Amino acid sequence: RNEARVTARHVRRPSRVYLEVPSRAREAEFLERVRKSRRLHRPWLKAPETSEQFREFLQRTRGVRHISLFVCSNESVELAGVVNLNEIVRGLFHSAYLGYYAFEPFAGQGLMREGLALVLDRAFGELGLHRLEANVQPGNRRSRQLVEGLGFRLEGFSPCYLKIGGRWRDHERWAILREEWSKVRASRRAKR
């Protein structure tokens, strides 16, 4: 696990989380967290629930177009959530779709907010992306508050946008640019 640990050394205040590259070492814990988080996740998302699905998830994250990171608690070293950068496009676009989910018992504690901030730093820093888009179902209040609190702005509404749990679901499109994230970070530092 230690070689997979990714830290954000540029953060002045110690974070309560760190990012880790997904690996088979976390498979049993991941599947148990998904099982215990079913009520939290439905109807918003469908996380891998079997060993086969987990291994497919790992395989997908090894490509150049998808990056996944586990958000882990510094205190307990347990999985608190997952962040995915999907459909990374380079060239003139330099953009990706952001997906994320927390696990019980860590939901609502602000750990995903800290984890997403670390991922945004990485996406707009070392990965050189220009834009991230998060698609949120209108009824998912927590997810909406999370992206809005990190500086994402609402760009639009897409009916029947993604098929989740066997149903096409409406989504709001929230986005943030590298320049916007830089301003959010500067503002957060000034408040410390």
Side-chain angles (χ1 to χ4, degrees), residues 2 19 38 40 51 62 91 96 98 118 136 142 144 160:
N2 288 339
L19 302 176
R38 281 187 182 134
L40 174 68
S51 289
R62 300 213 187 328
L98 180 70
L118 293 175
V136 178
R142 280 180 155 179
R144 193 171 200 241
C160 301

Side-chain angles (χ1 to χ4, degrees), residues 25-176:
R26 292 268 194 186
E27 180 178 341
E29 180 186 5
F30 179 94
L31 295 174
E32 180 64 15
R33 290 268 180 254
V34 167
R35 188 184 68 71
K36 289 184 175 179
S37 302
R38 281 187 182 134
R39 292 181 83 186
L40 174 68
H41 292 166
R42 289 206 176 109
W44 315 121
L45 66 101
K46 182 92 167 90
E49 295 180 322
T50 66
S51 289
E52 182 180 342
Q53 290 171 349
F54 180 79
R55 290 177 188 140
E56 288 171 5
F57 160 76
L58 288 182
Q59 188 64 35
R60 187 176 65 248
T61 67
R62 300 213 187 328
V64 294
R65 294 184 58 190
H66 303 279
I67 295 173
S68 292
L69 295 163
F70 288 155
V71 176
C72 302
S73 164
N74 265 326
E75 185 178 318
S76 66
V77 194
E78 294 176 272
L79 283 178
V82 177
V83 179
N84 298 308
L85 294 172
N86 297 308
E87 301 302 333
I88 299 169
V89 178
R90 298 295 182 172
L92 300 175
F93 201 42
H94 283 278
S95 183
Y97 294 99
L98 180 70
Y100 49 86
Y101 47 96
F103 288 129
E104 292 292 2
F106 300 100
Q109 296 180 20
L111 299 180
M112 285 303 292
R113 181 186 194 90
E114 290 183 36
L116 274 173
L118 293 175
V119 171
L120 292 176
D121 284 343
R122 186 168 183 199
F124 292 131
E126 71 183 78
L127 295 177
L129 296 180
H130 171 69
R131 180 181 190 278
L132 290 176
E133 181 176 313
N135 295 290
V136 178
Q137 293 177 57
N140 192 340
R141 182 183 50 80
R142 280 180 155 179
S143 186
R144 193 171 200 241
Q145 289 172 337
L146 179 60
V147 293
E148 194 170 20
L150 287 169
F152 283 71
R153 69 194 136 59
L154 180 62
E155 285 192 330
F157 177 81
S158 296
C160 301
Y161 188 63
L162 293 171
K163 193 172 191 177
I164 300 171
R167 284 188 43 217
W168 288 101
R169 300 183 188 269
D170 299 343
H171 281 75
E172 296 172 342
R173 293 185 323 278
W174 292 80
I176 191 167

